[in-house]
Amino acid sequence: KASDHSIAFGWFAQYGAQNSLAVRFMGLPDSLDICSMWGGIPAKENTDIWNEIRFVQKTNGTKMLSVAITRIDAETDDKEFKIAYNKAKAMTQGAERDSAINKAIDMYAEYFLDEVFDNELDGFDADYEPEGDFLSGSYFERFMNHLALYLGPNPNITKTDRLKLIQARYGADVTDTDKMLCVDSPSEPSSALQPICNYYFKQAYGEI
């Protein structure tokens, strides 16, 4: 993994069943550099799966990323960020509404940050396929820039300042300031996002 080589990335799902190495983390190739956990975050009680995830992370050196299609409109209304978002959208047009929407977007970003840090994962992969969702364009850029305070190669924040933010939210025992921030999408990346992302994965379904 430390050598100069082509980076291997993949999505992985269906790891709830453990009857075959084809659906187990231990079955992932050793050469896989980055794995987006498309099957979601396993329950903490599922210790067998978590033991495999930790082995793949620590022994094989594979980076395990939380991943989600980032569509705030599609999220369920019981989540705190969605409650804040719905209230903001219902407000009268103006600066106060804009501020409330931005706050809700930041809360949405923090929802995924919590997935990463609370589960000791290696970063986040934002699947950007808005298809009419509110979280697109400049709003998606805000979402990514909030994530980039904690993740990725953001050139606009020092490691010292990042560590302060991380420890203020996740405790003094958390010291990893090098977690990854990635985007995957069928379209071309926004140039504004390139400096804050480790990788941009181009979805090429049906293409060569």
Side-chain angles (χ1 to χ4, degrees), residues 83-99:
I83 293 169
Y85 168 75
N86 288 338
K87 288 181 178 178
K89 288 290 294 292
M91 294 170 66
T92 303
Q93 292 284 348
E96 186 176 355
R97 179 180 185 270
D98 293 342
S99 177

Side-chain angles (χ1 to χ4, degrees), residues 84-117:
Y85 168 75
N86 288 338
K87 288 181 178 178
K89 288 290 294 292
M91 294 170 66
T92 303
Q93 292 284 348
E96 186 176 355
R97 179 180 185 270
D98 293 342
S99 177
I101 286 175
N102 287 338
K103 176 59 179 174
I105 290 172
D106 292 348
M107 291 171 67
Y108 190 36
E110 289 162 3
Y111 173 81
F112 294 114
L113 287 171
D114 290 349
E115 280 195 346
V116 171
F117 283 94

Side-chain angles (χ1 to χ4, degrees), residues 140-156:
F140 183 70
E141 290 181 13
R142 182 182 179 90
F143 169 78
M144 290 294 294
N145 275 288
H146 195 71
L147 290 168
L149 294 174
Y150 299 78
L151 311 173
N154 190 346
N156 301 314

